Amino acid sequence: IVPIGTRLDDDAIDDIEAALIGADMGLETSTEIVDELRKRLRSEQLEDGPAGVMRVLEEQVAAMVALGEEGVLPLEGVLPGKPYVVLIVGVNGAGKTTTAGKLAKRYTDAGKKVVIAACDTFRAAAIPQLEIWAERAGADIVRAQHGADPAAVAFDALEAAKARGADVLLVDTAGRLHNKVNLMEELKKIRRSLAKHDLGAPHETLLVLDGTSGQNALIQAREFNQATELTGFALTKLDGTAKGGIVVALRREMDLPVKLIGVGEGVDDLQPFDGAAFAKALFA
Amino acid sequence: RLSERFDDIFRSLRGQGRITERNIDETLREVRRSLLEADVNFKVAKGFILRVKEQALGQDVLKSLTPGQQLVKIVHDELVGLLGGSNSPLKLADLPPTVIMLVGLQGCGKTTIAAKLASQFKEKGRPPLLVAADMYRPAAVEQLQTLGTSIEVPVFSQPAGSDPVEICRLGVDEARKTNRSVVILDTAGRLSIDEEMMHELDRILQATSPHEILFVADCMQGQDAVETAGRFYERLAFSGCVLTKFDSDARGGAALSIREVTGQPIKFVGTGEKVGDLEPFHPDRMASRILG
Ligand SMILES: Nc1nc2c(ncn2[C@@H]2O[C@H](COP(=O)(O)OP(=O)(O)OP(=O)(O)O)[C@@H](O)[C@H]2O)c(=O)[nH]1
Ligand SMILES: Nc1nc2c(ncn2[C@@H]2O[C@H](COP(=O)(O)OP(=O)(O)OP(=O)(O)O)[C@@H](O)[C@H]2O)c(=O)[nH]1
Ligand SMILES: [Mg+2]
Ligand SMILES: [Mg+2]
């Protein structure tokens, strides 16, 4: 998508910056990447013109979003907690429930016993939706009646998961806008309920971001991180046309990695994040 | 704020003697930065800036005593103009039922909008029928049925495995038979590049001849809004848009992108999760919001 000549002239720079902005990286991050690119091209000798520039650009972005050891979400083997508790949060419609279902299947496929907590007690048919996902994944579900206190459901679910000797507890929560104080307070309460069990829960708190998100994702991340310390992101709907470049800006600002990506609506459409593949797709 | 940033720029420029056209470019860079922060598509922003520059030079902003304020007014008015002068109501059929078809990406708020519209029609004495045409998402039909029950509006559905096109066709027939004034088709979320699913929308269109096709879009979207709106429009020539999650703090630049690429009016905004949270679109309020 980036047409460039063999020399990096102003037009080529503009084209690259446009591609980065068009991928939702935002003006600041795009400018920083272009400045860094210019520096590297000056200090390195590139024999193969446009291809060389693209390679440097991809490497740069891949490096920016690379997962360190701690960045990888454990999906099999010995898990750092029993049950290993993953809290799933995010704004309305981002893909939390679907991601919870897909993640549950990942763990059951790896031979783990999984419990899912239905902590969206608010939205119409939220619990029936999650029940279908639990069935698809071969996971247990802990639910209460519609309108129950989500924090109480979370507490009970962790209790049940412990009692059943579950390996993993996935906590699906209701969609909420970060600028709604009462909803963010509810989220804090859910987190406190999980922590009450003294098991180190939640071990993982993933903010689910819609791949089509714009700059508001930065504010979402900041606010959700305030309410419940995030450990990473799940970026959904990357099977669409959006590039999800906002995660580059997020990594730069908050140093939190994307751990999972959603690439479809089926139960197996979940992948661990791969920085190199992500960078490649960005410029495809 | 944008006007303060402009004032700072003009103040510093005045210090250099006469303000020139090239100086205007510095303020325009501020406008561009603001629009990109607000998620306006960068191509749309580019065209917008050019028009603002024309206006600024044409109105001789440089000779003004308050160039910063005047420039903000130009930007604001240009935005309002692009967002769609005045409010555009829904088209109603001469002979009922009016068929309204809701389309859009996954999770943008179609099912919620369906219920909100139905509630408004009911209040206005135009008995609606909701049609649950999403046969893919788990518990999608149940979601619409639950909402329908809460507002006492009937929901037409078919058993699992039914064809969404057939459901829509039968739903419109049902609306006609039971003298409903409006029938609202809630379709499954889909990607603009999913050929099979987009073809399903073509077939629903052919089977039901909607009077109004509303493209439902999440106002928190980024640069890609231009792409998806463009593709949906190219395919369906929808007649209006609904922006959802307006109660978020997203600046909503996607609205400008969608308007620019489709030319269709934004008819409503969703302002919350409750069935009453639907408001008419106000271009002037949207312009202020985009400019932050
Ligand atoms: N194409 C695609 N669609 C997805 C993906 N993830 C989720 N979806 C769809 O997005 C829509 C919303 O997904 P949900 O899982 O209900 O989202 P949510 O965050 O739980 O929504 P709320 O609970 O209402 O806030 C559904 O139609 C999903 O099928 C993905 O990776 N790709
Ligand atoms: N805060 C807020 N939430 C909204 C608004 N509109 C819809 N939602 C929420 O967004 C989520 C998705 O809404 P749905 O109506 O299920 O979206 P959809 O487009 O039908 O989703 P799919 O059928 O999966 O494509 C739900 O949690 C809704 O409650 C709004 O205006 N404001
Ligand atoms: Mg959900
Ligand atoms: Mg729906």
Side-chain angles (χ1 to χ4, degrees):
Chain A
I1 50 162
V2 182
I4 37 185
T6 45
R7 253 181 359 90
L8 208 63
D9 55 10
D10 279 349
D11 280 346
I13 291 280
D14 283 351
D15 283 346
I16 290 172
E17 197 195 56
L20 297 173
I21 293 172
D24 282 314
M25 292 214 197
L27 191 53
E28 254 185 70
T29 301
S30 304
T31 308
E32 169 176 304
I33 290 174
V34 168
D35 288 345
E36 181 66 19
L37 178 70
R38 265 210 204 89
K39 272 207 223 98
R40 286 193 63 181
L41 292 176
R42 246 177 264 140
S43 63
E44 296 172 29
Q45 295 298 4
L46 292 181
E47 359 62 30
D48 52 350
V53 174
M54 285 316 296
R55 191 179 46 78
V56 172
L57 199 51
E58 272 182 38
E59 282 175 3
Q60 217 175 297
V61 174
M64 286 171 88
V65 295
L67 288 174
E69 277 278 339
E70 3 60 47
V72 178
L73 184 75
L75 294 171
E76 56 188 9
V78 179
L79 303 173
K82 178 131 169 127
Y84 183 61
V85 182
V86 182
L87 177 59
I88 297 166
V89 304
V91 301
N92 307 75
K96 299 173 292 300
T97 302
T98 305
T99 300
K102 292 171 179 176
L103 191 53
K105 176 107 192 322
R106 265 281 172 152
Y107 283 119
T108 57
D109 280 351
K112 303 294 178 195
K113 181 166 171 58
V114 181
V115 175
I116 306 183
C119 291
D120 181 353
T121 57
F122 167 76
R123 207 207 68 213
I127 296 172
Q129 181 188 10
L130 191 60
E131 281 179 321
I132 293 170
W133 277 110
E135 192 177 337
R136 285 179 182 176
D140 284 354
I141 184 166
V142 170
R143 49 155 298 175
Q145 73 280 12
H146 186 259
D149 173 15
V153 179
F155 186 88
D156 293 347
L158 186 43
E159 185 94 320
K162 237 179 19 195
R164 296 176 206 180
D167 299 302
V168 180
L169 172 68
L170 303 178
V171 184
D172 182 25
T173 61
R176 71 198 66 230
L177 294 180
H178 48 281
N179 54 322
K180 306 241 164 132
V181 179
N182 58 325
L183 297 182
M184 296 311 277
E185 284 304 311
E186 178 186 90
L187 187 58
K188 289 180 193 167
K189 199 163 170 256
I190 292 172
R191 189 200 177 82
R192 282 198 299 273
S193 281
L194 293 172
K196 271 198 203 131
H197 283 275
D198 275 341
L199 292 168
H203 302 93
E204 199 78 42
T205 303
L206 299 175
L207 175 64
V208 178
L209 294 172
D210 191 317
T212 65
S213 299
Q215 299 305 302
N216 192 254
L218 291 166
I219 308 178
Q220 290 174 30
R222 271 177 233 141
E223 295 296 316
F224 272 91
N225 194 37
Q226 280 266 350
T228 172
E229 196 178 343
L230 303 176
T231 58
F233 306 107
L235 188 62
T236 64
K237 308 176 195 173
L238 283 188
D239 45 321
T241 47
K243 302 286 184 175
I246 193 68
V247 298
V248 183
L250 276 169
R251 184 63 179 278
R252 185 175 155 267
E253 175 174 323
M254 298 178 67
D255 198 23
L256 281 173
V258 178
K259 300 201 174 188
L260 298 169
I261 62 170
V263 291
E265 303 189 68
V267 76
D268 293 319
D269 294 329
L270 184 75
Q271 294 170 7
F273 183 71
D274 175 345
F278 176 80
K280 199 161 205 77
L282 214 56
F283 300 111
Chain B
R1 287 199 34 245
L2 202 61
S3 57
E4 287 158 4
R5 279 193 257 169
F6 284 171
D7 285 337
D8 290 344
I9 292 172
F10 278 119
R11 204 170 305 124
S12 68
L13 292 181
R14 281 233 158 92
Q16 303 167 22
R18 238 188 94 240
I19 307 179
T20 67
E21 176 179 327
R22 224 178 60 219
N23 298 154
I24 282 273
D25 288 340
E26 181 165 349
T27 58
L28 293 179
R29 273 199 292 279
E30 277 303 310
V31 178
R32 178 176 184 255
R33 170 134 65 102
S34 181
L35 293 178
L36 292 178
E37 277 172 13
D39 289 320
V40 174
N41 181 271
F42 72 95
K43 290 194 197 107
V44 172
K46 190 167 188 174
F48 181 83
I49 303 286
L50 287 175
R51 283 197 296 280
V52 166
K53 180 170 181 174
E54 258 172 52
Q55 291 262 353
L57 295 176
Q59 287 186 30
D60 229 344
V61 158
L62 305 174
K63 295 222 182 78
S64 163
L65 285 175
T66 56
Q69 272 184 44
Q70 193 168 343
L71 194 58
V72 171
K73 179 156 194 331
I74 292 172
V75 173
H76 189 270
D77 291 352
E78 189 67 19
L79 267 180
V80 173
L82 286 174
L83 288 167
S86 62
N87 192 251
S88 239
L90 284 180
K91 279 193 219 83
L92 295 175
D94 300 323
L95 207 64
T98 297
V99 181
I100 299 173
M101 180 180 172
L102 299 176
V103 304
L105 297 174
Q106 290 90 344
C108 62
K110 298 172 294 300
T111 303
T112 309
I113 287 294
K116 287 175 177 180
L117 286 174
S119 176
Q120 281 201 358
F121 278 118
K122 178 160 198 248
E123 278 173 23
K124 294 200 181 108
R126 296 183 162 279
L129 175 69
L130 285 164
V131 175
D134 180 350
M135 286 283 112
Y136 308 93
R137 170 174 158 150
V141 175
E142 189 169 343
Q143 184 185 5
L144 194 62
Q145 285 171 332
T146 303
L147 291 169
T149 302
S150 72
I151 55 175
E152 295 181 292
V153 168
V155 176
F156 179 83
S157 65
Q158 291 289 275
S162 306
D163 171 22
V165 181
E166 198 52 19
I167 297 168
C168 288
R169 199 181 57 74
L170 292 171
V172 174
D173 283 349
E174 178 74 5
R176 204 165 283 131
K177 281 194 227 125
T178 58
N179 289 316
R180 309 306 286 180
S181 164
V182 189
V183 54
I184 299 166
L185 311 176
D186 179 27
T187 69
R190 68 204 64 216
L191 298 177
S192 62
I193 51 172
D194 186 334
E195 181 49 42
E196 200 173 321
M197 289 299 275
M198 292 306 281
H199 185 52
E200 178 183 278
L201 292 182
D202 294 335
R203 295 189 299 126
I204 292 174
L205 210 159
Q206 283 165 17
T208 63
S209 305
H211 301 90
E212 190 84 61
I213 303 174
L214 296 177
F215 178 63
V216 181
D218 189 328
C219 85
M220 298 188 276
Q221 277 179 91
Q223 298 285 309
D224 196 57
V226 138
E227 186 71 18
T228 52
R231 285 174 189 267
F232 268 85
Y233 184 67
E234 205 175 353
R235 198 65 182 248
L236 303 169
F238 54 76
S239 48
C241 316
V242 179
L243 281 182
T244 62
K245 306 176 200 171
F246 219 61
D247 44 326
S248 70
D249 55 7
R251 300 256 295 270
L256 188 65
S257 305
I258 294 171
R259 271 289 293 164
E260 198 56 12
V261 79
T262 68
Q264 297 309 304
I266 298 169
K267 303 211 169 183
F268 295 100
V269 289
T271 55
E273 295 195 73
K274 302 209 285 302
V275 109
D277 297 331
L278 188 71
E279 294 178 17
F281 175 70
H282 291 290
D284 52 345
R285 283 187 221 164
M286 184 85 231
S288 302
R289 180 175 175 138
I290 288 176
L291 289 177

